[in-house]
Amino acid sequence: MINMEPINIEGHTFLSISVELPKTNLLVVTNDKGYIMCGALDVALLNEKLKDRKVVAGRAVGVKTISQLLDAPLESITYEAEELGITQGMIGRNALLKMV
């Protein structure tokens, strides 16, 4: 099942997407500038092989719901996210606010 819902963080609208897969869930919260995602995100791939795309993204591990993703510290971030002031260990919702 796929669920997409707008969510509001301090007056800014983001889109939350959750995909129920066998034995796991794929979780993303995004806007037009970037996104945070569950452990399925391959930050190294974005930073190395897809560097020219300048993707703004962060990865949180061990999360099972959108709510957990918003409250979890980011385990890794892309170089472009770092340029926006997003740091490793930053809580997901705070990282998203740097993307507005």
Side-chain angles (χ1 to χ4, degrees):
M1 171 181 255
I2 299 172
N3 184 36
M4 296 177 24
E5 292 182 26
I7 59 172
N8 186 294
I9 302 173
E10 294 186 18
H12 302 282
T13 302
F14 296 87
L15 179 63
S16 70
I17 304 162
S18 58
V19 181
E20 293 178 22
L21 300 169
K23 301 181 183 179
T24 192
N25 292 327
L26 179 64
L27 305 169
V28 181
V29 179
T30 186
N31 69 359
D32 61 344
K33 193 166 201 170
Y35 57 92
I36 60 171
M37 191 170 165
C38 65
L41 179 64
D42 189 343
V43 171
L45 173 75
L46 296 175
N47 279 340
E48 295 165 18
K49 298 197 186 263
L50 303 176
K51 186 177 181 177
D52 60 318
R53 296 185 188 185
K54 299 183 179 191
V55 175
V56 174
R59 173 184 177 201
V61 295
V63 296
K64 296 179 181 174
T65 67
I66 293 293
S67 180
Q68 289 177 353
L69 178 59
L70 293 172
D71 292 330
L74 297 180
E75 177 264 345
S76 55
I77 58 171
T78 62
Y79 298 139
E80 292 300 315
E82 194 172 344
E83 291 289 320
L84 291 178
I86 297 167
T87 59
Q88 188 176 6
M90 181 178 278
I91 300 301
R93 75 179 60 250
N94 295 337
L96 289 167
L97 289 172
K98 296 274 189 182
M99 298 178 198
V100 294

